[in-house]
Amino acid sequence: MNSAQVLHIKNMVCPRCITTVRDTLRAMGLNVNKVVLGEAEFDTPDNKLNLKTIDNELRKNGFELLIDKDEQLVEQVKVALIEYLTNLEKQEEAERVSSYLSHHLTTPYTQLSKLFSQRVGHTIEKHVILLKIERVKELLTYGELTLSEIAYRLHYSSVQHLSTQFRQVTGLSVSEYKSLGTHHRHPLDAISSTTYPRFVDS
């Protein structure tokens, strides 16, 4: 008898991740129905479902299964925040993070905020700032936009606001960061309390 299975998977942050996870599961003989960021759904006989084996195969590509329900929800918040940042650049007016998460995860923001802080070690608000700074770094690396254009694109109130936040997070001014030559960036799925401890502990 076949039944639908949904796996919650950590560290999926981009379209390439979706392709890799889909290929990995199919190579294991699983009949994959759908793969989205953070989740994979498939039909497979129950006796073929070996979570340990699946987890081992996923880990070879930098992913891992999430079994704990709270960890699943935290991962969903992280994925939703990355999607929020992507959508932010396309909007004329920025949507509130709390509204976005509550709507997309159908969970009260107060519950999400409390759980996230407990499990991750810093608040959702600070996590959004960290994601935005990594995006600022990326855009600076490309060299296609002025700092004023980057500030506008990411909905900073001013260039000064962006510059102040950049220094608070990285310890460097934007010009100091650009002068480094080699740009120190962090993958969005790897952002944690240890990435910028001075900022998240403040």
Side-chain angles (χ1 to χ4, degrees):
M1 177 179 178
N2 289 3
S3 58
Q5 305 282 341
V6 176
L7 298 179
H8 295 272
I9 302 170
K10 187 176 181 179
N11 300 333
M12 293 181 66
V13 297
C14 62
R16 188 179 304 155
C17 298
I18 292 175
T19 301
T20 302
V21 167
R22 182 189 297 116
D23 291 347
T24 299
L25 296 177
R26 284 178 175 170
M28 297 181 68
L30 301 178
N31 184 21
V32 180
N33 295 332
K34 179 177 64 174
V35 178
V36 297
L37 293 179
E39 292 183 2
E41 179 185 294
F42 55 91
D43 291 319
T44 191
D46 291 337
N47 59 5
K48 282 192 176 182
L49 183 62
N50 187 316
L51 295 181
K52 184 175 181 180
T53 301
I54 292 174
D55 186 50
N56 288 339
E57 290 301 310
L58 290 173
R59 285 174 182 270
K60 292 177 182 179
N61 290 296
F63 309 109
E64 61 183 272
L65 283 184
L66 288 171
I67 306 301
D68 181 85
K69 294 296 184 182
D70 284 346
E71 285 296 330
Q72 290 177 9
L73 187 54
V74 167
E75 188 66 16
Q76 288 173 339
V77 171
K78 288 183 177 181
V79 169
L81 289 177
I82 293 173
E83 294 173 340
Y84 168 83
L85 184 62
T86 300
N87 293 332
L88 183 66
E89 298 186 41
K90 305 172 185 177
Q91 297 172 345
E92 289 294 325
E93 186 173 342
E95 182 179 1
R96 291 174 63 88
V97 174
S98 56
S99 299
Y100 183 88
L101 290 179
S102 297
H103 174 71
H104 285 270
L105 299 180
T106 61
T107 304
Y109 181 73
T110 52
Q111 179 181 338
L112 296 174
S113 178
K114 181 179 180 180
L115 177 62
F116 191 90
S117 296
Q118 290 174 341
R119 292 301 182 104
V120 179
H122 58 260
T123 65
I124 286 176
E125 289 75 16
K126 286 197 171 184
H127 198 79
V128 171
I129 291 173
L130 296 180
L131 292 177
K132 288 178 73 173
I133 292 302
E134 290 306 319
R135 179 58 175 157
V136 170
K137 288 181 181 181
E138 182 180 4
L139 293 172
L140 287 173
T141 301
Y142 296 157
E144 298 173 345
L145 301 175
T146 66
L147 194 59
S148 178
E149 289 170 329
I150 293 175
Y152 177 80
R153 185 165 178 168
L154 293 176
H155 293 268
Y156 280 96
S157 58
S158 65
V159 172
Q160 183 59 44
H161 181 201
L162 186 160
S163 299
T164 299
Q165 200 170 85
F166 193 92
R167 182 183 285 277
Q168 288 174 338
V169 172
T170 67
L172 300 170
S173 68
V174 172
S175 58
E176 287 171 339
Y177 176 78
K178 291 170 69 175
S179 69
L180 288 176
T182 55
H183 297 103
H184 302 280
R185 290 165 48 194
H186 301 278
L188 297 185
D189 62 309
I191 297 295
S192 69
S193 291
T194 60
T195 308
Y196 296 105
R198 184 175 65 90
F199 174 71
V200 297
D201 292 338
S202 63

